[in-house]
Amino acid sequence: MTRVFSGVKPTGHLTLGNYLGAMRRWAAVDQHEADALFCVVDLHALTVDHDPARVRRLSRQSATLLLAAGLDPELCTVFVQSHVDEHARLSYVLECVATDGEMRRMIQYKEKAAREQRRGGSVRLSLLTYPVLMAADILAYGAGEVPVGDDQRQHVELARDLAVRFNQRYGHTFVVPRASRPGVAARVMNLQDPASKMGKSDDVGPGIVYLLDEPDVVRKKVMRAVTDSGREVVYDREARPGLANLLEILAACTGAEPERLSGAYESYGALKKDTAEAVVEVLRPLQERHKELCADPGHVEGVLRDGAERARGMARPTVDAAYRAIGLLPAVTEVAGAGAVVAV
């Protein structure tokens, strides 16, 4: 089976965009068709200024929501990145293969560094090197395909380059992954700014529907969504982005086609009302399951503990092989009761 690695970063509350765009497919397709690992990538959350207590809280919430969305630990591996030391171990080794120029060419780093510089500040070193940690996330597990959007393709290309370079210099160690387009999924845009994705980092945005929003809050946000000039309900992503966003959300929730849905409405108000109710119904079972899981924290902790152990077993042989290949001396341990030592 193809091995797939996907993750969520606990830098904000998960949104309707996260669910319709990725999590729903992970539960319905990927965990059944691939050897799938789903990870809360908490180490990546440390690349920016953060509140430690909030990162811990969001990490637990993200893991619980992954399970509430339908991920089954009997079918896939669910774990927290920092619980598996191999991610950090391999990241440093790959930093010793990557170059400064490669890191500084990363588009997200350039944009964030420039923005911070205009404010008179500076970004953390980890923001520069986090694409290497992302490469370690992928390479440690021998993932052959990495389904990513266009904004992350550059990082997968870096993982490919580092794998090829390492293999050529130190001997074949890593599977060289390739980026692939994820399966067709909903594209959910900000309800107040339909030119921007519904991102989870904007914690107070009225245009963002969070997975744990109360039904009345969801309804209010959808009913206040930005629409476009004109009265006719038509599906046109370029000319009528606000209206198209509502139609796409409704289509994703109901399984219909946005073009066909547009012909069923004569007013924006009716479309908004139906979209709001569809979102509420899509989120209802997830929220109910989340509530059940929160009432049994020991279950979630057990899933994460078992998932980390399983992930560690997958990653350790590759990371140990990389350590040996690059020239690090194997660790020596004493065999209990034997008085002998062996290299491991």
Side-chain angles (χ1 to χ4, degrees), residues 30-77:
D30 290 347
Q31 68 174 342
H32 299 282
E33 297 184 356
D35 182 7
L37 300 100
F38 300 105
C39 181
V40 178
V41 287
D42 55 343
L43 294 176
H44 289 288
L46 308 185
T47 61
V48 295
D49 189 31
H50 64 277
D51 174 10
R54 186 170 186 270
V55 170
R56 284 191 291 270
R57 184 171 64 253
L58 288 175
S59 295
R60 176 179 288 277
Q61 183 185 91
S62 297
T64 306
L65 283 169
L66 289 177
L67 298 177
L71 294 186
D72 183 348
E74 296 297 322
L75 298 175
C76 63
T77 303

Side-chain angles (χ1 to χ4, degrees), residues 6 22 36 105 163 169 178 282 285 340 342:
S6 297
R105 285 195 296 271
R169 291 180 180 177
R178 68 182 183 89
V282 161
V342 293

Side-chain angles (χ1 to χ4, degrees), residues 250-263:
L250 179 59
C253 292
T254 61
E257 293 294 328
E259 294 88 349
R260 179 171 295 182
L261 286 170
S262 65

Side-chain angles (χ1 to χ4, degrees), residues 36-316:
L37 300 100
F38 300 105
C39 181
V40 178
V41 287
D42 55 343
L43 294 176
H44 289 288
L46 308 185
T47 61
V48 295
D49 189 31
H50 64 277
D51 174 10
R54 186 170 186 270
V55 170
R56 284 191 291 270
R57 184 171 64 253
L58 288 175
S59 295
R60 176 179 288 277
Q61 183 185 91
S62 297
T64 306
L65 283 169
L66 289 177
L67 298 177
L71 294 186
D72 183 348
E74 296 297 322
L75 298 175
C76 63
T77 303
V78 181
F79 67 106
V80 175
Q81 182 187 32
S82 63
H83 294 177
V84 180
D85 293 345
E86 278 63 32
H87 290 260
R89 290 179 62 209
L90 183 56
S91 182
Y92 179 76
V93 167
L94 294 178
E95 283 185 14
C96 298
V97 178
T99 67
D100 176 75
E102 285 175 314
M103 297 298 97
R104 296 187 187 279
R105 285 195 296 271
M106 293 289 121
I107 293 173
Q108 291 192 27
Y109 169 76
K110 290 169 65 175
E111 291 177 347
K112 292 180 180 180
R115 185 164 59 246
E116 193 63 30
Q117 188 175 30
R118 288 194 295 270
R119 297 171 178 170
S122 180
V123 296
R124 298 184 178 191
L125 178 62
S126 55
L127 185 65
L128 176 66
T129 59
Y130 96 90
V132 177
L133 177 58
M134 182 175 172
D137 296 338
I138 298 166
L139 299 181
Y141 297 100
E145 285 193 13
V146 185
V148 291
D150 291 338
D151 60 335
Q152 293 292 330
R153 292 183 73 85
Q154 187 183 36
H155 294 155
V156 179
E157 289 303 315
L158 174 68
R160 285 178 54 84
D161 292 344
L162 295 180
V164 169
R165 189 179 306 154
F166 191 100
N167 290 347
Q168 290 176 342
R169 291 180 180 177
Y170 306 114
H172 185 78
T173 305
F174 298 116
V175 173
V176 180
R178 68 182 183 89
S180 63
R181 288 192 174 275
V184 177
R187 177 176 59 171
V188 182
M189 312 304 283
N190 189 297
L191 294 174
Q192 293 296 317
D193 180 13
S196 303
K197 288 198 306 182
M198 187 179 285
K200 64 180 180 295
S201 297
D202 185 0
D203 285 336
V204 296
I208 300 172
V209 175
Y210 298 104
L211 295 186
L212 297 179
D213 276 348
E214 294 288 339
D216 285 347
V217 174
V218 172
R219 293 185 183 100
K220 183 180 295 185
K221 288 180 177 180
V222 176
M223 294 303 294
R224 293 180 177 177
V226 168
T227 50
D228 312 285
S229 59
R231 296 181 179 179
E232 187 180 2
V233 179
V234 296
Y235 179 69
D236 187 331
R237 166 52 66 181
E238 297 300 322
R240 312 282 287 278
L243 193 57
N245 189 36
L246 289 171
L247 288 166
E248 289 177 355
I249 291 172
L250 179 59
C253 292
T254 61
E257 293 294 328
E259 294 88 349
R260 179 171 295 182
L261 286 170
S262 65
Y265 293 94
E266 297 182 354
S267 70
Y268 292 170
L271 171 61
K272 287 182 175 181
K273 183 177 180 180
D274 283 359
T275 302
E277 293 306 319
V279 171
V280 167
E281 289 307 309
V282 161
L283 295 183
R284 189 185 306 280
L286 180 146
Q287 293 180 351
E288 290 175 350
R289 179 58 178 151
H290 177 266
K291 186 176 181 179
E292 293 172 358
L293 290 168
C294 287
D296 185 11
H299 173 72
V300 177
E301 291 171 0
V303 168
L304 296 179
R305 181 180 61 250
D306 294 345
E309 183 177 356
R310 193 181 311 152
R312 199 175 299 119
M314 295 181 195
R316 181 164 292 173

